[in-house]
Amino acid sequence: MRRGFSHRQLRLALASALLLAGAAVVAWHLLSSSTSPTQPNTEKAPIAKRVPGMPWFEDVTTASGIDFQHFDSTTPMHYMQETMGSGVAWIDYNNDGWPGLFCVQDGPVRPGAGPLPLSPAAQKGHEQSLPAGERGRGEGGGPLPTSKLYRNNGDGTFTDVTREVGLDRPGFGMGCAVGDFDNDGFDDLVVTYVGAIVLYHNEPDGKGGRHFVDITAKAGLHDSHWATSCAWGDVDGDGLLDLYVCNYVVPNLDHYPDCTDKQTGVRGHCPPFLFANVAHQLYRNNGDGTFRDISVSSGVAAAPAAPGLGVLMVDLDGDGRLDIYVANDLKPQYLLHNQGGGRFVEKGLISGCGLAGTGNFIAGMGVQAGDLDGSGRPSLITTNFQHNPTIFFRNRGNLQFQDWSFPSGIGGPSLDRLGFGTVLLDADLDGNLDIAVANGHVDSEAQKKFGFPMAQEAKFFKGDGKGSFQDISAQVGSYFTELRVGRGLAYADFDNDGRPDLVFSHNAGRMALLRNDTETNNAWLRLELEGDGKKSNRNAIGARVEIEAGDKRQVHFIIGGGSYLSASERRLLVGLGAADQAELVTVLWPSGRKQVFRNLAARRWWRLHEGQEQPETVVPQKPRG
């Protein structure tokens, strides 16, 4: 039975929101200028050493052949766009079993306006800035940069296939999402831009391979705003993937505010509340290759306009319908509760996950969901601004959440970081989800204004499966001790060795591909779910999977969206600990159908087809060149 809310509760929630809205300016100044109890460590950390049984990641970017460089769009104007970074996505676009890597590219904020002299911060502020000859391209200095797609060669290396697959489109790219919107068995790609959104349909290239065709206009998709994160999910239960798109703020570049710090006299990046907001957008899949904007009729546009940066789709209350959770920047987070038939009511505040437990706004960037406490319910992780904790909203059932950031052990260690992308993964295959977070300040003048650098170390929290976490960042590999301007983050087992790997994107920097080299005897199970393409979407987004192995029970969810501007792979990589099989795997498909698979052997890749009694064993073959 659904839990109701009284008129008094609604009035109290509305009053609280109005009071908090008036405190936004104060909140920004506190966030930007307060002194943290523990300032970021700017000294070189001791070299970490691998310990058997503990998670360990090796930076293999150079050896992999991934040479993507995020464009440095810095100008003396300090436009907000310059500091937001871009996302990454894992996509097995040719169904060879080896996920490729898509890297979103930005560009000049004002292409064609003529080059602007770089500020000293642009010259020295990023530890991995563009080579001098590359800087200013697109402003009279040559062709605009484009996003990149790297094909996985199956041997630990990647090949740039951007041009041959049709993805060499310039523009100020932001985020991306991967999903098979037409249920043809091949994943498609949507990319958001400042002022645009592009839908790429995955089609045969006539030569035995695959390529992407821009069908945005034909599909009826349009977003002229600053689109950021997006997510695929079937919101109305018709077996087709619909699309949610976050919109950030509406800056006027011709009349851009001067956000010079009064104390230091240093110009920096402006806070989001100085700019107007617009509603986010929800597009319904018509099933014929086109979409219809249902933002108003669905109730999404009725939510107070807010600058959205992260979004995910998951059934938060177990009623069989996908809900939408959105990370907003310095405004209440959205919990768009699915009422059925593709209609939503925003319940973030009355559910306890719209504000931090202290009543403060959250500078929501990245977001993730999973069973972090063994309850079988998806809890929420939202990254946050400097001097504020990464938020762990513990799902207490009945659509009620509790801020569990500090009791969990996440809150304290995250105070001295500004978080962006985040993922949940079982790095050491012990059956408990861990958390990785990409960090980096948003102000390129942070050193002058606040006394700490823009670049920061990433964080890694090891979970115990009961809602508690330990910060082991200094022990999991050298990358986590290096200063980077982290933004996007996504995971995939790119080498199919049964250990989840990570990829980080960096603002004005190179990518970082981290191979999981954890030394462990723990077993694993790879589960790939395939919906029937009729009542369930083929990607099985919205499915709930329960695994029983030995004396341990785990619950996993196939979610839409997540992290910040990025897309992880959908295949589930389940750690089994010492177990040599999963006695029971119970799948609740998006259609509502329930299936049980028995005695699945460990260290194997199993493909589960909706409606088919027997699972399929998959053995990946070396990809064709």
Side-chain angles (χ1 to χ4, degrees):
M1 178 179 292
R2 296 184 179 277
R3 182 169 179 171
F5 300 96
S6 69
H7 291 293
R8 181 174 180 272
Q9 285 177 300
L10 293 171
R11 287 197 300 270
L12 286 172
L14 179 59
S16 299
L18 291 173
L19 288 170
L20 287 163
V25 175
V26 175
W28 172 260
H29 285 297
L30 289 173
L31 289 172
S32 302
S33 59
S34 62
T35 301
S36 171
T38 54
Q39 291 294 329
N41 177 22
T42 58
E43 298 181 0
K44 190 171 181 63
I47 299 174
K49 295 183 179 180
R50 186 181 333 202
V51 177
M54 288 288 286
W56 183 265
F57 293 90
E58 197 72 34
D59 189 334
V60 296
T61 313
T62 301
S64 73
I66 293 173
D67 57 358
F68 180 81
Q69 170 75 54
H70 189 253
F71 184 85
D72 187 350
S73 58
T74 306
T75 72
M77 293 297 293
H78 292 276
Y79 295 123
M80 290 189 76
Q81 294 94 320
E82 301 167 10
T83 192
M84 303 304 286
S86 302
V88 290
W90 291 103
I91 178 170
D92 183 6
Y93 71 98
N94 54 8
N95 283 357
D96 64 0
W98 300 88
L101 182 63
F102 180 69
C103 307
V104 183
Q105 182 64 282
D106 68 348
V109 177
R110 307 192 74 171
L116 292 170
L118 289 171
S119 66
Q123 296 170 0
K124 300 179 180 179
H126 303 299
E127 84 288 358
Q128 288 184 318
S129 59
L130 278 173
E134 302 260 331
R135 196 170 280 151
R137 287 191 307 175
E139 298 173 334
L144 289 163
T146 74
S147 301
K148 296 286 187 182
L149 177 66
Y150 294 89
R151 185 188 66 223
N152 191 331
N153 298 322
D155 59 1
T157 67
F158 293 77
T159 298
D160 183 349
V161 294
T162 309
R163 186 177 297 274
E164 66 187 75
V165 300
L167 291 176
D168 54 336
R169 179 194 190 278
F172 204 102
M174 291 294 299
C176 53
V178 175
D180 180 8
F181 79 85
D182 57 353
N183 287 329
D184 68 350
F186 289 89
D187 275 336
D188 309 298
L189 179 68
V190 64
V191 185
T192 61
Y193 295 83
V194 176
I197 181 172
V198 177
L199 176 61
Y200 292 102
H201 187 223
N202 188 339
E203 300 181 0
D205 64 2
K207 299 177 289 185
R210 308 291 299 185
H211 70 161
F212 291 91
V213 177
D214 180 350
I215 63 166
T216 312
K218 177 182 176 183
L221 291 176
H222 176 73
D223 188 344
S224 60
H225 303 293
W226 181 351
T228 56
S229 288
C230 52
W232 293 105
D234 180 6
V235 301
D236 53 6
D238 64 356
L240 299 168
L241 292 180
D242 309 298
L243 180 65
Y244 186 99
V245 181
C246 295
N247 288 317
Y248 194 49
V249 298
V250 187
N252 185 340
L253 299 185
D254 292 326
H255 302 282
Y256 201 80
D258 181 352
C259 292
T260 297
D261 183 72
K262 293 181 179 179
Q263 292 183 338
T264 63
V266 176
R267 183 166 185 161
H269 295 279
C270 296
F273 58 75
L274 291 184
F275 306 95
N277 302 135
V278 295
H280 300 185
Q281 291 173 273
L282 180 62
Y283 294 94
R284 183 183 184 274
N285 190 334
N286 295 322
D288 59 359
T290 67
F291 291 79
R292 180 165 58 94
D293 188 340
I294 60 169
S295 308
V296 174
S297 62
S298 67
V300 166
L309 288 175
V311 58
L312 61 79
M313 295 193 192
V314 67
D315 181 3
L316 289 168
D317 59 349
D319 65 356
R321 298 193 281 258
L322 275 182
D323 307 302
I324 304 173
Y325 187 76
V326 182
N328 291 319
D329 192 359
L330 281 179
K331 284 196 175 179
Q333 317 295 283
Y334 293 159
L335 193 170
L336 296 166
H337 186 217
N338 197 330
Q339 307 295 295
R343 294 187 59 81
F344 293 86
V345 174
E346 204 290 297
K347 296 183 178 179
L349 291 174
I350 57 179
S351 294
C353 58
L355 304 169
T358 56
N360 294 336
F361 284 119
I362 301 168
M365 314 286 187
V367 64
Q368 198 52 261
D371 181 8
L372 300 176
D373 59 2
S375 66
R377 298 183 291 265
S379 291
L380 298 165
I381 296 291
T382 304
T383 56
N384 206 352
F385 206 84
Q386 189 100 4
H387 310 315
N388 289 263
T390 290
I391 302 293
F392 172 9
F393 282 123
R394 195 170 187 177
N395 191 335
R396 293 300 196 180
N398 296 317
L399 212 66
Q400 291 297 298
F401 293 82
Q402 180 182 14
D403 186 341
W404 203 248
S405 309
F406 286 98
S408 69
I410 297 172
S414 61
L415 285 172
D416 63 351
R417 299 287 187 274
L418 199 162
F420 275 89
T422 183
V423 296
L424 307 180
L425 70 164
D426 185 357
D428 55 359
L429 308 176
D430 64 353
N432 304 316
L433 288 176
D434 310 307
I435 304 173
V437 181
N439 297 309
H441 208 280
V442 295
D443 198 326
S444 59
E445 305 287 359
Q447 187 69 56
K448 293 181 180 178
K449 293 166 64 175
F450 313 127
F452 50 76
M454 185 181 189
Q456 301 178 352
E457 302 100 327
K459 282 289 186 183
F460 191 93
F461 298 94
K462 180 173 168 56
D464 69 353
K466 301 175 182 178
S468 294
F469 292 84
Q470 181 184 3
D471 178 9
I472 61 169
S473 307
Q475 306 169 51
V476 295
S478 62
Y479 173 85
F480 289 86
T481 66
E482 298 171 1
L483 296 174
R484 306 284 187 108
V485 186
R487 293 295 184 258
L489 173 57
Y491 76 85
D493 181 10
F494 78 83
D495 53 2
N496 284 321
D497 69 349
R499 293 173 291 188
D501 311 299
L502 296 170
V503 63
F504 288 79
S505 72
H506 305 108
N507 196 56
R510 300 190 183 279
M511 309 296 296
L513 178 63
L514 306 186
R515 186 183 63 212
N516 187 337
D517 283 353
T518 302
E519 295 181 10
T520 179
N521 292 322
N522 289 336
W524 51 272
L525 197 70
R526 190 190 317 282
L527 300 176
E528 179 186 359
L529 273 62
E530 186 175 295
D532 62 7
K534 298 175 182 178
K535 293 184 177 181
S536 294
N537 62 90
R538 286 183 67 96
N539 293 155
I541 294 173
R544 181 183 188 272
V545 185
E546 186 172 319
I547 301 103
E548 296 181 40
D551 58 356
K552 190 174 182 65
R553 169 183 168 271
Q554 300 181 53
V555 176
H556 292 265
F557 304 88
I558 309 295
I559 72 168
S563 193
Y564 170 76
L565 307 177
S566 301
S568 295
E569 72 166 335
R570 283 185 308 275
R571 299 182 301 177
L572 295 178
L573 190 55
V574 182
L576 297 181
D580 59 3
Q581 68 171 1
E583 287 82 17
L584 290 177
V585 174
T586 304
V587 179
L588 183 61
W589 297 94
S591 64
R593 175 185 287 169
K594 188 175 182 179
Q595 277 185 272
V596 177
F597 301 90
R598 301 180 185 276
N599 301 323
L600 300 188
R603 296 184 174 86
R604 291 188 186 177
W605 174 352
W606 296 97
R607 183 175 291 145
L608 310 182
H609 300 270
E610 182 178 12
Q612 293 185 19
E613 202 172 303
Q614 296 300 321
E616 175 189 357
T617 303
V618 181
V619 180
Q621 303 297 317
K622 186 175 176 59
R624 297 192 301 269

